[in-house]
């Protein structure tokens, strides 16, 4: 069986470790490298050859440990060479004997015999202190890793618990809506319970959970004003598989009202959601996808919509000449657009995406903050055409 090739990287730790451990391992490697390097510097400063040789051996040991993939690869290569060419074995033996002889002639062995045992004892104490420091650093690192793992597990558990809570909310609202006295009849108590559950849940979930709840309610027509008959209070079908909407006299199953004031909804998916007549004052809507959303009559005063996508978002109805923001006590006119538009005073619409000229004109008229409009690009004709340029032919007829 052929052995798998080793990775070319020279790693101080195993390559299968998580990326989050790199910082702690780098600190540990620097500490392991710094101890013998410091000993070598002290040995050179105090002229202690014994301490210097110990530091050199420690550095060689660290190099061997950190470069073990490299040495293993070299060892396998040498073994293949020895198996293929027996003469290489004699070469290795000759080099070994030459190295031993050179070390003997240079006086290295005699230097080892004259080592000061007191210096070796002091060196042992230094190593003991360094070991205690290393153990304390390892204990601190292990405690830090336990904190990181505990934090990640807590976050995952919170996400799972939140999703279970949202699923239970969906089932509860669906049960209220589909009950005989739910959405099909004019039963205000169940609508009040649904609104109370929604308000309580919106205050206890993160921004992505809020977006999920809003998408569910809007897609299920629970945020839209539905036309009901005057006798039973039931929603009237439109004959096309849905319910008729009545923006003037319709009744919503769930009224958002002030549930989302000051909420954090930045960078969430709110595409095609009916937020009409809701209060989003001071809400963080940065980088939200509000394309095709219904914002007629929505209170966006001092809301932050920087970078939001407003492609075909409905800010007003009617014409620009007659459209105006909603006002308390004023009945909206959905034909002319008077008192039916979004309230945008003090709202930040800078750097919004896909903003149409009509939307920009409405926002600029009613006090929203906008980025400067880029100047139109004008195509300039060549004022001095070349003499040889041909002129376009005259139109026939």
């Amino acid at each position: 069986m052929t052995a798998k090739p080793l990775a070319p990287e020279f790693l101080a730790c195993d390559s299968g470790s998580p990326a989050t451990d790199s910082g702690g391992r780098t600190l540990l490697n620097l500490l392991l490298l710094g101890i013998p390097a410091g000993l070598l510097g002290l040995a050179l400063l105090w002229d202690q050859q014994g301490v210097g040789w110990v530091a050199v051996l420690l550095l060689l040991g660290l190099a061997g440990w950190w470069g073990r993939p490299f040495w293993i690869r070299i060892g396998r290569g040498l073994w293949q060479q020895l198996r293929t060419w027996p003469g290489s074995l004699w070469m290795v033996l000759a080099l070994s004997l030459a190295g031993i002889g050179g070390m003997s002639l240079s006086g290295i062995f005699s230097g080892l015999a004259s080592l000061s045992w007191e210096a070796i004892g002091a060196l042992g104490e230094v190593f003991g202190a360094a070991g205690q420091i290393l153990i304390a650093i390892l204990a601190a690192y292990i405690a830090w890793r336990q904190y990181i793992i505990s934090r990640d597990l807590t976050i995952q558990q919170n996400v799972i618990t939140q999703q279970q809570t949202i699923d239970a909310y969906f089932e509860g609202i669906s049960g209220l809506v589909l009950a005989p006295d739910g959405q099909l009849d004019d039963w205000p108590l169940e609508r009040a319970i649904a609104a109370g559950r929604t308000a309580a849940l919106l205050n206890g979930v993160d921004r992505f959970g809020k977006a999920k709840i809003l998408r569910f309610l809007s897609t299920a027509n629970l945020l839209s004003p539905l036309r009901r008959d005057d006798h039973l209070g039931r929603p009237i079908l439109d004959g096309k598989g849905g319910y008729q909407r009545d923006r003037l006299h319709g009744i919503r199953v769930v009224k958002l009202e002030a549930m989302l004031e000051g909420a954090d909804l930045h960078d969430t998916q709110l595409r095609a959601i009916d937020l009409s007549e809701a209060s989003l004052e001071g809400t963080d809507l940065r980088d939200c996808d509000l394309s095709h959303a219904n914002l007629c009559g929505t209170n966006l005063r001092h809301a932050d919509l920087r970078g939001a996508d407003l492609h075909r978002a409905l800010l007003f109805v009617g014409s620009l000449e007659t459209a105006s923001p909603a006002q308390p006590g004023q009945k909206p006119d959905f034909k002319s657009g008077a008192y039916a538009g979004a309230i945008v005073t003090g709202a930040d619409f800078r750097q919004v995406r896909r903003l149409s000229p009509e939307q920009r004109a409405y926002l600029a008229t009613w006090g929203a903050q906008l980025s400067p409009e880029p100047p139109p690009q004008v195509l300039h004709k060549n004022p001095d055409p070349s003499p040889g340029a041909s002129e376009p032919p005259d139109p026939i007829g």
Side-chain angles (χ1 to χ4, degrees):
M1 181 182 295
T2 59
K4 296 183 180 179
L6 295 175
E9 294 82 358
F10 303 151
L11 301 177
C13 302
D14 295 337
S15 59
S17 301
T20 55
D21 295 344
S22 60
R25 286 172 178 166
T26 301
L27 180 61
L28 180 60
N29 293 337
L30 287 175
L31 179 62
L32 292 176
L33 184 63
I35 292 175
L39 291 176
L40 182 60
L42 293 176
L44 295 176
L45 183 62
W46 294 340
D47 195 15
Q48 293 288 335
Q49 294 186 358
V51 178
W53 281 110
V54 171
V56 170
L57 292 176
L58 287 176
L59 290 173
L60 291 176
L62 290 175
W65 171 253
W66 287 334
R68 59 189 185 277
F70 177 72
W71 305 122
I72 292 174
R73 186 164 62 251
I74 290 181
R76 289 183 177 179
L78 290 176
W79 176 248
Q80 294 295 333
Q81 293 289 335
L82 293 175
R83 292 179 58 187
T84 307
W85 297 285
S88 301
L89 176 61
W90 302 107
M91 177 191 69
V92 172
L93 292 176
L95 289 176
S96 301
L97 292 174
I100 294 173
M103 293 175 65
S104 300
L105 295 175
S106 62
I108 294 178
F109 293 125
S110 60
L112 292 176
S114 61
L115 288 176
S116 175
W117 293 107
E118 295 180 358
I120 294 177
L123 183 61
E125 295 180 358
V126 171
F127 277 122
Q132 292 178 359
I133 295 174
L134 181 60
I135 291 173
I137 293 176
L138 289 176
Y141 173 73
I142 292 173
W144 175 72
R145 284 299 307 158
Q146 289 178 348
Y147 164 74
I148 294 298
I149 294 173
S150 176
R151 185 194 63 182
D152 294 341
L153 291 176
T154 302
I155 293 174
Q156 294 178 1
Q157 186 62 36
N158 290 339
V159 171
I160 295 173
T161 303
Q162 175 177 292
Q163 186 59 46
Q164 292 175 348
T165 304
I166 293 175
D167 292 340
Y169 165 80
F170 289 165
E171 294 179 0
I173 295 298
S174 300
L176 287 176
V177 170
L178 299 177
D181 294 331
Q183 183 185 13
L184 300 181
D185 288 319
D186 189 7
W187 197 251
L189 180 59
E190 293 191 353
R191 292 202 303 272
I193 294 175
R197 287 184 176 181
T198 304
L201 187 58
L202 287 176
N203 290 330
V205 296
D206 58 12
R207 66 182 192 274
F208 299 107
K210 291 182 177 68
K212 289 179 183 179
I213 295 171
L214 292 175
R215 288 195 297 268
F216 166 75
L217 295 176
S218 181
T219 306
N221 287 327
L222 302 181
L223 299 179
S224 302
L226 303 179
R227 176 174 295 176
R228 299 173 180 265
D229 59 47
D230 296 334
H231 181 63
L232 298 176
R234 293 183 176 180
I236 300 176
L237 300 175
D238 59 1
K240 300 178 181 179
Y243 293 105
Q244 294 184 13
R245 299 185 181 184
D246 187 354
R247 291 182 290 184
L248 191 59
H249 303 289
I251 299 177
R252 306 172 191 267
V253 179
V254 176
K255 294 182 180 180
L256 291 178
E257 295 180 342
M259 295 181 188
L260 297 174
E261 283 190 356
D264 182 10
L265 290 170
H266 78 275
D267 197 18
T268 53
Q269 177 64 252
L270 301 177
R271 181 183 178 89
I273 290 183
D274 189 354
L275 296 172
S276 58
E277 300 182 8
S279 180
L280 302 179
E281 184 173 356
T283 302
D284 188 356
L285 296 169
R286 290 172 298 153
D287 300 318
C288 282
D289 185 2
L290 289 169
S291 57
H292 301 275
N294 185 2
L295 299 175
C296 285
T298 305
N299 181 13
L300 295 173
R301 188 179 285 109
H302 303 297
D304 191 353
L305 291 95
R306 288 174 295 173
D309 187 358
L310 294 179
H311 179 62
R312 294 190 177 182
L314 192 61
L315 295 173
F316 66 95
V317 293
S319 62
L320 283 171
E321 292 76 11
T322 58
S324 61
Q327 293 184 9
Q330 297 291 339
K331 186 176 181 181
D333 187 354
F334 292 99
K335 291 184 178 180
S336 64
Y339 308 116
I343 304 173
V344 296
T345 304
D348 194 347
F349 282 84
R350 290 176 295 178
Q351 300 177 353
V352 291
R353 294 171 287 163
R354 298 198 288 181
L355 190 66
S356 66
E358 292 79 10
Q359 291 173 331
R360 174 176 286 274
Y362 177 84
L363 295 174
T365 302
W366 298 105
Q369 302 179 31
L370 292 170
S371 299
E373 187 175 3
Q377 297 181 357
V378 180
L379 299 178
H380 298 282
K381 295 182 180 180
N382 189 2
D384 188 14
S386 59
S390 60
E391 297 181 357
D394 295 334
I396 301 176

